[in-house]
Amino acid sequence: MSLLKAIIFDLDGTLVDSARDLRDAVNILLVQEGLRQIDLGEVKSMIGDGAPKLVERAIAATGGDLSRLPTLVTRFLEIYEANASRHTEAYPGVADTLAGLRALGLPLGVVTNKPFGATIDILEALGLRTYFDAVIGGDTLPERKPHPAPILAALKQLGVAPEAALMIGDNYHDVQAARAAGVRTFAVTYGYSHKPHAELGADRLIDTMSELLPIVANTAAA
């Protein structure tokens, strides 16, 4: 892995497990709408493409009225952003890995389809905000992953060319966005992938975040 000068991370399913807080917020909305609640497995299958798509999938799965989707998304965000970090946790090895990467002198970024405000709240609550020089949320730009624009915006902030960067994600939209931006990509085999990991098209799969640091350190030493 030559010329690595920056690493960009997805958030949900890659750095943090946010499914419980997302499920709780969705279920409050569904109860308000007189609809059935969804379980953790269901919400995990709906995560990854931003809040509007999550709400759309939840309303569709429970037989709700999709014609009111914009209003429902607004209400969901009010519910979720009030408690975005109550149960959300960093995956094992994340903090140590980020610290190790920064010790190697690598600038780091987050590119997520989660709203920027909730992203910052979560990173700060988990003590991770200090590691990142660029944070792009799902509402930072008109485009979201799998569009390459958010990754390119983060790279511009980091001052790094696409060919010198690496994207770490857990889902198809991470890999597609990285490919479209001309960035190499690894996929974690945990998280909320909507298809088998081997079919994501990543350059490499890693089973834990802790595997990343020695890969990068060995490359830097080569």
Side-chain angles (χ1 to χ4, degrees):
M1 194 192 315
S2 60
L3 292 173
L4 183 61
K5 296 183 178 179
I7 301 179
I8 294 173
F9 294 87
D10 171 51
L11 185 67
D12 297 296
T14 300
L15 294 177
V16 305
D17 183 357
S18 55
R20 289 177 64 193
D21 283 320
L22 288 166
R23 177 204 60 191
D24 290 351
V26 167
N27 280 336
I28 290 172
L29 178 67
L30 293 175
V31 168
Q32 291 177 354
E33 290 296 299
L35 301 171
R36 72 168 179 86
Q37 298 187 47
I38 59 176
D39 62 29
L40 200 57
E42 284 181 286
V43 82
K44 285 181 178 180
S45 73
M46 300 172 182
I47 296 172
D49 296 298
K53 186 59 69 172
L54 170 61
V55 175
E56 177 184 336
R57 289 168 175 158
I59 296 298
T62 54
D65 181 4
L66 288 173
S67 70
R68 298 174 50 246
L69 190 59
T71 298
L72 297 176
V73 170
T74 298
R75 196 187 315 156
F76 166 78
L77 289 172
E78 292 171 352
I79 297 166
Y80 177 63
E81 292 181 353
N83 290 290
S85 59
R86 177 178 292 176
H87 300 298
T88 294
E89 298 177 335
Y91 285 107
V94 163
D96 289 343
T97 298
L98 295 176
L101 293 172
R102 289 307 299 259
L104 292 174
L106 285 170
L108 307 177
V110 169
V111 174
T112 175
N113 285 339
K114 182 187 292 294
F116 179 82
T119 298
I120 295 298
D121 287 348
I122 288 170
L123 291 175
E124 289 182 346
L126 298 179
L128 303 179
R129 176 66 182 95
T130 184
Y131 295 117
F132 297 104
D133 303 293
V135 178
I136 305 294
D139 52 358
T140 301
L141 303 174
E143 305 88 1
R144 297 188 182 97
K145 296 178 295 183
H147 198 285
I151 291 179
L152 294 173
L155 291 176
K156 185 176 181 179
Q157 291 184 24
L158 297 174
V160 174
E163 60 270 19
L166 173 67
M167 173 77 190
I168 313 293
D170 71 312
N171 217 328
Y172 66 91
H173 55 255
D174 300 313
V175 176
Q176 290 178 11
R179 290 280 183 238
V183 172
R184 288 162 289 177
T185 178
F186 288 3
V188 299
T189 58
Y190 53 88
Y192 317 132
S193 182
H194 296 176
K195 61 173 65 177
H197 297 99
E199 298 178 11
L200 295 178
D203 294 300
R204 183 166 183 164
L205 299 178
I206 56 175
D207 295 324
T208 67
M209 189 57 70
S210 299
E211 293 176 35
L212 179 63
L213 184 57
I215 294 170
V216 173
N218 289 339
T219 301

